[in-house]
Structures are given as structure tokens and as C-alpha cells.
């Protein structure tokens, strides 16, 4: 009997060795709703808030070092180029912020007062994409995708039409996945051509991510859709509680993933989203975004929440 138990343990350990065990709150105090975060390494990160704040964090010392910059528009997403110096943030009123000095200073450009820019991501130092919607009284929620091929100096509108286009993910294989209302947009050639896949649900999608052939899409009222054909089709499941909304996804690979949502919910899967295990986030406020850098995972949300965990070796 003892020999049988030992064999089972050896079989289980490799599959669970990378599970994050404990979540901790950063010792910082904010009363903002953080909508997105981007860490360039485990100790240096940036966050944006719905109140128009850009926060720079340096966690390398005994006490976190904090710098802030304030802007008059809601901010929804932030990212940095591979050099860690050039960064961008986007928000309401067509606001695009840029920093060329690792977040010490930010300059703003307003493209259009009726644009809500909700996501930004770069493939490399030159090619990037912005997702957003037009929320004027005459054309509410008409979505669009902007692209740049010169490192963000200029942005052009792509020939992609939809509603509530809000989230961008770029896989290690450079598959671009953009989430819209009932539609997922896919491009594997730098945005030159786009395929679409319908998500037949009356619920609002928030984010879709694809790794390998497997994809996970989450949204309002417990929406969960899964793909096993690289996003060409999506299967709606009824696994998640329909009173929760999930806002963001972190896929570690084609099998393992985290999703974050309302009331501090963090769920983990090891089978591409078929089954989920809740993790104790230690907070009760909505979590809007999650990111992995090195062996550390960060998440942020309402009430200035910033939490982290370290993946076990």
C-alpha cells in the first residue's frame, strides 16, 4: 500500500508544481480603481486607474517607492515596449499617453473626444494595436482597432468593424486576439488580415486569450467559452457561477490559466478551462487585471488593490 501511494504522489507533483500557493497584498495604500497593470520585471511596475492616475512602483527596496501622474480622463490599459523605457497608456476621450523615460514623465495626445480606448499591446518595438469604441450619442459602441508600425508615433484605423471592442492579447506565436461583443477577431500576420469567430451568447465578453490551440473567453454573468481550434470556434460552457463577472485571463500555457473577477475571485485551471479551482485572493474587491512576470504573478483592481503570488519551482 505504501508503494502505491508513493507512485501516485510522483505522478501528481509534476502537474501541480507551478501552482501559486499564497496571495499577498502589497504594502501600499491607494483608494483608486486600478484597471490595468504592467510589470517590466518582478520589482518595477506600472498601473493605471479609472480616476486617470498612472502609478509607477519600485519594489526593489525595503519600502515601495511610488510616483504618480494624474490626467483628466479614465485610463484603462498600459504597456511597455521590450526596452522597458517606452510605455503607453490609453483611456477615454481618445487619450494616448506615452513615456520615453521608464514612466518618469508622460505626454498626452487626444485623438478624438468620442473615443474610448480600452486596450493596447505591442508585438515588438514597432508594431502595436489599440482597441476601442466610439461612444458618441449618434454611434454608440461602434468598435475599432488602431495599429502602428513606427513604435506609436502614428496610429491608423484598420478595416475591422464591431461593437464593444475592448481587449487585446498577443500570443508568443504572435497570434493577435481581440475581443468584441459576441465576436473574436484573429490575425496571425501583424493585423494585415483578420478572421472572425462568433460567440453565441447574450452575455458580454470581457477577454479572450489563446495559447497553442486552446483558448479561453470570459465575461459577464459567468460567461465562459472555450476553443480547441486556435479560436476558430468557441463552445459556451456553464461551469462558472452566473452571478460573477470575470475581467481578465492569464494563460501560462495551453493548459494552465488564471481568471480574475468580481469580489476578488481568482480561479485556476489545469485542463484548458474545463475545470476550475478557486484560490484565496485575500481581498473582497473586484480584480480587473492579472499579469505574470518572471516567477511572479500580479493582479489589481478596486480600492487600490494590488496582490501578488510567486509560482513554486
Amino acid at each position: 500500500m505504501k508503494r502505491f501511494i508513493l507512485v501516485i504522489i510522483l505522478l501528481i507533483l509534476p502537474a501541480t508544481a507551478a501552482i501559486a500557493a499564497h496571495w499577498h497584498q502589497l504594502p501600499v495604500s491607494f483608494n483608486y480603481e486600478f484597471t490595468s497593470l504592467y510589470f517590466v520585471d518582478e520589482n518595477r511596475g506600472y498601473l493605471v486607474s479609472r480616476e486617470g492616475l498612472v502609478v509607477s512602483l519600485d519594489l526593489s527596496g525595503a519600502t515601495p517607492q511610488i510616483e504618480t501622474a494624474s490626467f483628466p480622463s479614465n485610463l484603462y490599459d498600459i504597456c511597455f515596449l521590450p526596452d522597458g523605457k517606452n510605455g503607453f497608456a490609453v483611456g477615454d476621450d481618445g487619450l494616448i499617453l506615452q513615456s520615453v523615460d521608464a514612466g518618469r514623465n508622460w505626454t498626452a495626445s487626444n485623438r478624438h473626444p468620442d473615443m474610448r480606448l480600452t486596450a493596447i499591446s505591442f508585438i515588438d518595438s514597432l508594431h502595436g494595436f489599440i482597441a476601442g469604441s466610439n461612444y458618441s450619442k449618434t454611434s454608440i459602441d461602434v468598435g475599432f482597432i488602431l495599429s502602428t508600425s513606427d513604435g506609436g508615433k502614428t496610429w491608423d484605423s484598420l478595416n475591422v468593424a464591431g461593437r464593444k471592442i475592448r481587449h487585446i492579447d498577443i500570443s508568443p506565436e504572435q497570434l493577435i486576439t481581440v475581443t468584441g461583443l459576441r465576436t473574436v477577431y484573429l490575425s496571425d500576420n501583424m493585423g494585415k488580415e483578420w478572421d472572425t469567430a462568433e460567440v453565441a451568447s447574450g452575455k458580454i465578453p470581457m477577454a479572450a486569450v489563446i495559447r497553442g490551440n486552446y483558448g479561453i473567453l470570459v465575461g459577464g454573468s459567468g460567461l465562459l467559452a472555450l476553443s480547441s481550434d486556435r479560436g476558430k470556434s468557441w463552445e459556451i460552457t456553464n461551469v462558472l457561477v452566473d452571478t460573477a463577472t470575470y475581467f481578465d485571463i492569464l494563460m501560462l500555457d495551453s493548459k494552465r490559466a488564471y481568471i480574475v473577477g468580481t469580489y476578488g475571485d481568482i480561479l485556476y485551471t489545469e485542463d484548458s478551462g474545463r475545470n476550475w479551482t478557486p484560490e484565496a485572493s485575500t481581498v473582497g474587491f473586484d480584480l480587473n487585471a492579472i499579469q505574470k512576470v518572471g516567477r511572479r504573478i500580479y493582479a489589481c483592481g478596486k480600492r487600490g488593490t494590488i496582490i501578488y503570488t510567486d509560482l513554486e519551482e
Side-chain angles (χ1 to χ4, degrees):
M1 185 66 181
K2 291 182 179 179
R3 183 178 181 182
F4 176 76
I5 293 174
L6 178 61
V7 171
I8 293 295
I9 291 174
L10 290 174
L11 288 173
I12 291 175
L13 278 176
T16 59
I19 296 178
H22 303 288
W23 290 86
H24 312 276
Q25 295 189 51
L26 281 184
V28 294
S29 179
F30 295 101
N31 194 27
Y32 304 103
E33 180 178 354
F34 289 126
T35 50
S36 184
L37 74 169
Y38 193 97
F39 275 76
V40 297
D41 57 45
E42 292 185 6
N43 291 314
R44 185 162 62 96
Y46 306 86
L47 301 97
V48 291
S49 80
R50 193 174 293 274
E51 296 81 7
L53 200 71
V54 181
V55 175
S56 302
L57 290 177
D58 183 349
L59 306 177
S60 59
T63 303
Q65 300 299 307
I66 302 170
E67 295 182 8
T68 62
S70 183
F71 297 89
S73 299
N74 299 344
L75 297 175
Y76 298 111
D77 201 11
I78 187 168
C79 74
F80 273 75
L81 300 187
D83 61 10
K85 295 181 179 180
N86 287 275
F88 295 86
V90 294
D92 279 343
D93 305 313
L95 181 63
I96 302 175
L97 302 176
Q98 183 174 7
S99 174
V100 296
D101 56 5
R104 294 183 182 87
N105 297 282
W106 295 86
T107 57
S109 64
N110 288 282
R111 290 186 55 84
H112 197 287
D114 293 332
M115 283 185 176
R116 172 168 291 166
L117 308 180
T118 51
I120 183 168
S121 188
F122 276 77
I123 289 180
D124 53 35
S125 60
L126 294 177
H127 299 88
F129 301 88
I130 291 175
S133 297
N134 187 312
Y135 60 100
S136 70
K137 294 180 180 179
T138 57
S139 56
I140 190 167
D141 292 336
V142 175
F144 53 81
I145 302 173
L146 307 178
S147 71
T148 181
S149 58
D150 56 14
K153 295 177 182 177
T154 60
W155 295 88
D156 299 311
S157 181
L158 299 179
N159 187 25
V160 176
R163 292 187 61 201
K164 290 185 181 295
I165 297 179
R166 66 173 76 239
H167 185 272
I168 301 173
D169 177 74
I170 301 176
S171 75
E173 299 79 26
Q174 298 189 352
L175 176 66
I176 307 165
T177 304
V178 178
T179 309
L181 183 65
R182 302 187 184 90
T183 306
V184 175
Y185 306 85
L186 304 165
S187 176
D188 58 5
N189 58 3
M190 295 283 194
K192 297 175 183 176
E193 298 173 308
W194 293 84
D195 295 320
T196 60
E198 297 301 313
V199 181
S201 170
K203 303 174 182 179
I204 298 177
M206 293 293 180
V209 174
I210 297 171
R211 293 294 180 267
N213 289 325
Y214 292 90
I216 298 173
L217 180 148
V218 296
S221 303
L223 172 61
L224 173 66
L226 304 177
S227 175
S228 58
D229 56 8
R230 210 165 181 248
K232 295 178 182 177
S233 62
W234 295 85
E235 172 194 356
I236 304 294
T237 74
N238 296 311
V239 174
L240 303 182
V241 178
D242 61 8
T243 56
T245 294
Y246 294 93
F247 300 108
D248 200 13
I249 307 164
L250 169 65
M251 290 192 74
L252 302 177
D253 50 41
S254 63
K255 298 293 184 182
R256 300 172 300 149
Y258 292 88
I259 58 176
V260 295
T262 47
Y263 309 114
D265 279 1
I266 300 177
L267 302 181
Y268 174 76
T269 182
E270 289 186 326
D271 57 7
S272 305
R274 294 292 172 185
N275 297 279
W276 295 87
T277 302
E279 296 204 350
S281 69
T282 72
V283 297
F285 309 116
D286 293 0
L287 296 173
N288 293 321
I290 184 169
Q291 183 209 1
K292 175 181 176 291
V293 55
R295 301 296 300 176
R296 179 162 289 186
I297 298 174
Y298 287 97
C300 68
K302 286 186 175 180
R303 301 287 184 92
T305 298
I306 309 171
I307 60 175
Y308 70 93
T309 188
D310 291 316
L311 294 173
E312 297 177 0
E313 296 293 342

